[in-house]
Amino acid sequence: MYNYKLVIQYDGSRYRGWQRLGNTGNTIQGKLENVLSEMTGEPIEVTGCSRTDAGVHALAQVANFKTGKRYEESHIKEYLNRYLPKDISILDVESVPERFHARYNAKYKTYLYKIWNREYSNPFMRKYSMHVENKLDVDKMKEASQYFIGEHDFTAFSNAKSKKKSMVRMIYSVTVDQEDGFVLIRMVGNGFLYNMARKIAGTLIEVGLGKLDAGTIPDIINSRDRSRVSFIADACGLYLEKIAY
Amino acid sequence: MYNYKLVIQYDGSRYRGWQRLGNTGNTIQGKLENVLSEMTGEPIEVTGCSRTDAGVHALAQVANFKTGKRYEESHIKEYLNRYLPKDISILDVESVPERFHARYNAKYKTYLYKIWNREYSNPFMRKYSMHVENKLDVDKMKEASQYFIGEHDFTAFSNAKSKKKSMVRMIYSVTVDQEDGFVLIRMVGNGFLYNMARKIAGTLIEVGLGKLDAGTIPDIINSRDRSRVSFIADACGLYLEKIAY
């Protein structure tokens, strides 16, 4: 079998997320599999690294698929970019060893959360950022962000359904920066539970608005109590930015 | 009468352009007049500097309106930003002398044309730039851009209907720059005829694609023949960037 790695950029606005849902539903995985199955004449299964949620964007999602035939990387890239919808783009195609697995081999992932922090809306970014009208206290957010770093049980910050799987994740860094009216939160970790990135961003926004004290975050993490984290930041502000292998 | 100057940003994607068309049609001017008439209880007429076309965006359109009552600038700004659709934002409101006229007093205007110049589409910019797949020769475009500078009769580059009004406009500068996959054309002039910015951008794109020789531009301008300029760049790539008074 030949194995190909894809780097994919998409505007998640009109999709139900990455993961295919049976044969129905408008998903990124489904779109890719349809076009690749047409190209190869085989039923193709695409393995994505991150199952981004409905409305979440990707600057560089990584996936792989296997096929019985050998193709030029440039042919796959051109074919996909020609037949995929214009809100999904293939940035790179690479032939990889058969053992390469987009999810299992990922070392760490970076999520970017974009907040538009002006009293008026940004006409061009209303689908690509969360609008927070009140001025955020970025210094407090920076302070709060440090409590997430390290290996923690993130049950309180997830909606993960399984009770059997580990809720422990390693967060390497969380940074908060200001840039031309935006507040940007970058989170780097070895993995993120379902809704975890949006709940961390939401908690940092509550700190920035003065609704939550930064010092209570360790206590919230340790509680493993989901009811302590009620605010989930809008999907449209979240971007899967980078995956390192 | 009190006179107020507005600085307005909008995503033109879903509008039929700036200019109100009777009482029908989805226009920026119409949206502003509706909200201001509600605010004041008077029928308000808004005078815009540039009549941007359907689908064209504005980073900083300027307009003014007159009313019999005095309002705080911050009140007008907040009221408009609360009741306007989210794809129109008011960046600034300023009380100005009664004689101020957004169109007649403008000294020069800057239009920005954004081209996404990669073989694959940009998922986030498909409504906010023109996609040109083949690599543009930016040096040739820079050379060609210089021929537009100066005072010329731009009949060949317009769709203006009136035959009585002057077709002479002064262009102060045209620049072409590359930035992260984009080719950006900036045009500064004392005024632009109907469709002129998009026809200049379209002509520069044809030069960049090698379909037109830069040296023929003076001849096209001098011909005043509209049939010589057939390519009009997409509305979605054009931004009214700045107006100077």
Side-chain angles (χ1 to χ4, degrees), chain A residues 9-12 14 57-59 77-78 81 85-91 116 119-128 131 133 239, chain B residues 9-12 14 57-59 77-78 81 85-91 116 119-128 131 133 239:
Chain A
Q9 188 170 90
Y10 48 84
D11 173 353
R14 69 181 188 95
H57 315 294
L59 299 175
K77 185 176 170 184
E78 279 164 31
N81 280 327
K86 289 207 184 298
D87 48 9
I88 306 176
S89 280
I90 304 300
L91 305 188
W116 173 247
E119 71 271 27
Y120 52 86
S121 79
N122 182 325
F124 304 102
M125 291 297 287
R126 59 199 201 287
K127 288 179 185 168
Y128 305 118
H131 184 199
E133 294 185 27
Y239 297 70
Chain B
Q9 188 171 89
Y10 48 85
D11 173 351
R14 70 181 188 94
H57 314 296
L59 299 175
K77 185 176 171 184
E78 280 164 30
N81 280 327
K86 289 207 185 299
D87 48 11
I88 307 175
S89 280
I90 304 300
L91 305 187
W116 173 246
E119 70 270 31
Y120 52 86
S121 77
N122 182 324
F124 304 102
M125 292 297 288
R126 58 199 202 286
K127 288 180 184 168
Y128 305 117
H131 183 199
E133 294 185 26
Y239 297 71

Side-chain angles (χ1 to χ4, degrees), chain B residues 143-200:
Chain B
E143 182 200 334
S145 69
Q146 301 313 299
Y147 293 112
F148 291 102
I149 296 170
E151 196 169 58
H152 302 290
D153 180 320
F154 282 101
T155 303
F157 289 86
S158 95
N159 277 336
K161 280 151 206 160
S162 167
K163 287 179 180 171
K164 289 181 185 166
K165 288 186 185 166
S166 169
M167 298 293 183
V168 175
R169 293 291 183 278
M170 178 72 181
I171 296 294
Y172 300 110
S173 77
V174 184
T175 58
V176 184
D177 293 293
Q178 280 180 294
E179 195 180 299
D180 302 330
F182 290 95
V183 174
L184 305 177
I185 303 170
R186 271 197 178 77
M187 298 163 258
V188 184
N190 67 354
F192 291 81
L193 301 167
Y194 184 57
N195 281 345
M196 178 173 151
R198 287 168 61 195
K199 290 196 165 188
I200 292 177

Side-chain angles (χ1 to χ4, degrees), chain B residues 76-112:
Chain B
I76 298 172
K77 185 176 171 184
E78 280 164 30
Y79 192 98
L80 283 169
N81 280 327
R82 184 174 307 126
Y83 294 107
L84 282 169
K86 289 207 185 299
D87 48 11
I88 307 175
S89 280
I90 304 300
L91 305 187
D92 194 45
V93 177
E94 194 190 335
S95 172
V96 286
E98 207 179 329
R99 66 182 181 279
F100 176 84
H101 189 285
R103 192 156 62 248
Y104 301 152
N105 294 157
K107 286 214 183 80
Y108 59 86
K109 303 174 191 179
T110 306
Y111 274 99
L112 168 63

Side-chain angles (χ1 to χ4, degrees), chain A residues 31-90:
Chain A
K31 293 285 176 196
L32 282 164
E33 290 179 349
N34 288 348
V35 177
L36 286 169
S37 298
E38 281 164 26
M39 185 187 86
T40 59
E42 307 165 24
I44 295 288
E45 196 179 320
V46 173
T47 304
C49 176
S50 292
R51 295 183 194 118
T52 57
D53 218 355
V56 172
H57 315 294
L59 299 175
Q61 165 80 287
V62 176
N64 71 294
F65 72 96
K66 293 180 181 180
T67 166
K69 274 172 278 182
R70 202 191 151 274
Y71 294 90
E72 291 293 325
E73 295 157 343
S74 62
H75 172 79
I76 299 172
K77 185 176 170 184
E78 279 164 31
Y79 193 97
L80 283 169
N81 280 327
R82 185 173 307 126
Y83 293 108
L84 282 169
K86 289 207 184 298
D87 48 9
I88 306 176
S89 280
I90 304 300

Side-chain angles (χ1 to χ4, degrees), chain A residues 129-142:
Chain A
S129 61
M130 180 173 171
H131 184 199
V132 175
E133 294 185 27
N134 294 315
K135 184 103 189 106
L136 291 165
D137 185 330
V138 172
D139 286 335
K140 285 215 175 113
M141 292 171 76
K142 283 181 200 252

